[in-house]
Amino acid sequence: MKSVNGINWKENNIPERLILKNKQKYNISYLLSKIFIDKKYSEEEIHNSIYKTQEKEIIYKNQDFAEASKYIYDCYKNKKKILIFGDYDVDGYSSVYLLYDFLTNLDINCNYFIPNRLSDGYGPNVSLLRKLISKSNYDLVIFVDCGSNSIDEITYLENCGLKCIVIDHHQIYKHKFFNKSVIINPLKRNLPKKYNTLCATSLTYFFIKYLVKKLNSKKKIDINKYLFFSAIATICDQMPLRDYNKKIVIKGLRNFDLNKFNNFKKLIKINRKLTSTDISFILGPIMNSASRIGYSDLPFKLLIEKKGNVMDRIISRLINLNEKRKKIQSKTINLLKINLDEIKNQVIFKYVENINEGLLGIIASNFVEIYNRPSFILTNSGDFIKCSSRSIKDFDIGYIFYLAFKKKIIINGGGHSMAGGCILKKNKLNEFKKFLNLNYNRKFYNTIDTKYYTSIQNFESLLTFAKEDFQNLEPLGNDNGSPFFLVKNNKIIKLKVINCTHLQFILKNKNNRSYKGMAFNAVGRKLGECLMNCKKEIDLIVQINNNIIQKNKDFNLIIKDAIV
């Protein structure tokens, strides 16, 4: 079935005997059984999802922890000073916060620096480091969520007599041994896959757990708070929410008491346990918005602030910046119209001059969700071009950028399988586009953009599923997305435009039951035009919007596509 968005939707056909077998084995509903099989859940994942079993301790070992801990111990024992240098997203903020909170609790003299996305760019550079170390007598620099490919920068610091620790999870372009530096990155070695998808904050969390035992300090450390930050960073950095990461997120969200951390409680004002949806759509966007429009260190200032009145001012500023980001983003997306015929057998590749480079990634993510295609959004930045990208399954952006770097198509870049960014010269723009499409077509040539829905459902069955089973799928996110359903014969009886961007509906089905629906970022798109002008019954591809249903009126659906 071809959709308004140009997607070929198919039902994911699973043998009936397998569905019934799991249904009986685990005493679960037919629909939940099918979804577990559809997502290829292991027996352990199914058991943990249903019975909410929780490991006493999540264990991760990295052989580089031992050497890195010696550098920390030296600073701890000899009163030496540390600089923590982090990235300007949730994973970066969280990594820096964990280290800063831990080290200052041990009375270790340390400072932090988060670069300005617009003026400093991603990661360290020699010029920036020269300014930073000239201001203070540092002995150790710790890079978090960056630094794996900063060979020149680490060499410069070593030549200045400093030691370095890198805690990162991005693709490594070139392996190098340093005399006074340690790189903690699972991609250094051929480790099991479940360890290769940890975000920087999770690596930092496990390193701190190692340090707690090694330093043998009597200071009280809130390890549940640190695991919570690992959870939110895992979600916001689009790490696969399966296996190890799923355990981190479940335990991190479950064991953290929001009431004990006013910095977040005042920001999101939710009087219950946070869910992955809260993180993805409320907390994460607010925290990330500041850096997108030039205020990279503001979220971190909120995390370390102790005074309530100052917290309130920072929170107000963050919320206002997020609203500003939304408006700029909406206008920018409208400039980047996608013609489905133009992207046949191609990635989405859009270069527009003078757009806000802080919004490139979020726009790319938006296009991936709509068109199911790797997306590369580019703009000019001084004498160069900056690119931010988001991907689909089986198109590893981190590796693609590594190949582009080796071929000298890009100057530098970094990323993991689902997201990345790079810088290139203007005269390399066409070569870069051809290179991306060549790699895309090696795997996806002449493939139809196909997505799968779980099954045909109606309003009543989805309401029952939302009440009884939906929470068994939490946490939702990359590689564990909310399932799609086909709901037939819907009539739109009421429509409202929200913030000139989203559409809100009251829909009625063939059983004369009405329900609420939302189509996000639909205004100005083919889907929005179709829904706003629809006078007949229409078949819709939907997802369940909320996972906490106390009353029937709480239930509503997200409209993702329409079949015409």
Side-chain angles (χ1 to χ4, degrees), residues 10-13 19 30-31 34-35 38 452-458 461-462 483-488 540-542:
K10 293 182 178 180
E11 182 172 353
N12 203 345
N13 292 315
I19 301 173
Y30 181 95
L31 182 54
K34 184 176 183 180
I35 291 171
D38 182 12
Y452 293 89
Y453 60 87
T454 299
S455 59
I456 299 173
Q457 297 292 325
N458 57 43
S461 63
L462 288 180
F484 296 104
F485 302 100
L486 175 63
V487 180
K488 295 185 136 186
L540 299 172
I541 299 292
V542 302

Side-chain angles (χ1 to χ4, degrees), residues 27-264:
N27 191 26
I28 56 178
S29 70
Y30 181 95
L31 182 54
L32 184 60
S33 175
K34 184 176 183 180
I35 291 171
F36 281 154
I37 298 169
D38 182 12
K39 291 178 176 292
K40 298 181 175 60
Y41 269 35
S42 66
E43 287 193 3
E44 181 187 8
E45 283 183 293
I46 294 174
H47 187 275
N48 291 344
S49 296
I50 297 170
Y51 302 110
K52 311 299 182 187
T53 52
Q54 184 173 320
E55 294 184 25
K56 290 183 178 179
E57 186 177 10
I58 303 173
I59 299 171
Y60 168 76
K61 296 179 180 179
N62 186 302
Q63 66 188 67
D64 294 309
F65 284 173
E67 186 64 23
S69 69
K70 294 177 184 177
Y71 296 175
I72 302 291
Y73 182 75
D74 181 46
C75 293
Y76 175 60
K77 184 178 180 181
N78 298 305
K79 306 296 181 183
K80 294 181 178 180
K81 194 170 185 180
I82 298 174
L83 173 65
I84 309 166
F85 187 112
D87 192 18
Y88 38 62
D89 63 4
V90 171
D91 194 18
Y93 298 137
S94 300
S95 302
V96 175
Y97 175 71
L98 261 61
L99 281 172
Y100 186 83
D101 188 70
F102 175 71
L103 296 175
T104 52
N105 277 336
L106 295 177
D107 298 320
I108 295 177
N109 190 1
C110 71
N111 202 354
Y112 71 90
F113 181 79
I114 295 169
N116 185 292
R117 182 194 290 262
L118 305 181
S119 58
D120 298 322
Y122 169 77
N125 60 71
V126 171
S127 176
L128 184 57
L129 292 173
R130 185 181 293 116
K131 293 178 184 176
L132 290 172
I133 65 173
S134 68
K135 295 177 181 178
S136 191
N137 187 28
Y138 295 112
D139 293 278
L140 173 66
V141 177
I142 306 176
F143 297 107
V144 287
D145 201 28
C146 61
S148 286
N149 298 299
S150 302
I151 294 174
D152 292 342
E153 290 77 9
I154 294 172
T155 301
Y156 167 75
L157 291 174
E158 286 195 341
N159 290 338
C160 292
L162 282 74
K163 295 177 181 177
C164 298
I165 297 172
V166 173
I167 306 176
D168 192 21
H169 66 129
H170 293 102
Q171 183 78 42
I172 299 174
Y173 291 169
K174 185 178 179 180
H175 294 269
K176 180 177 171 57
F177 174 79
F178 295 98
N179 293 321
K180 296 184 290 184
S181 300
V182 180
I183 294 179
I184 298 170
N185 187 328
L187 300 180
K188 274 175 64 176
R189 299 177 180 88
N190 189 24
L191 296 174
K193 184 181 178 181
K194 64 180 180 180
Y195 300 134
N196 287 344
T197 58
L198 295 174
C199 67
T201 308
S202 292
L203 292 170
T204 304
Y205 164 77
F206 288 117
F207 180 49
I208 288 174
K209 285 186 71 177
Y210 182 91
L211 288 171
V212 169
K213 294 179 181 179
K214 202 71 175 175
L215 299 179
N216 198 26
S217 171
K218 295 181 180 179
K219 292 287 183 76
K220 189 176 180 180
I221 303 297
D222 189 351
I223 208 70
N224 283 333
K225 180 174 71 171
Y226 292 171
L227 187 60
F228 169 75
F229 276 92
S230 297
I232 66 171
T234 298
I235 294 167
C236 293
D237 223 43
Q238 298 186 45
M239 296 293 99
L241 293 187
R242 302 292 292 272
D243 197 48
Y244 225 59
N245 282 331
K246 189 171 185 178
K247 293 175 183 177
I248 288 170
V249 171
I250 289 174
K251 190 169 182 178
L253 297 185
R254 184 182 295 168
N255 291 356
F256 180 68
D257 186 356
L258 188 65
N259 292 314
K260 293 181 179 179
F261 195 65
N262 278 333
N263 311 60
F264 276 165

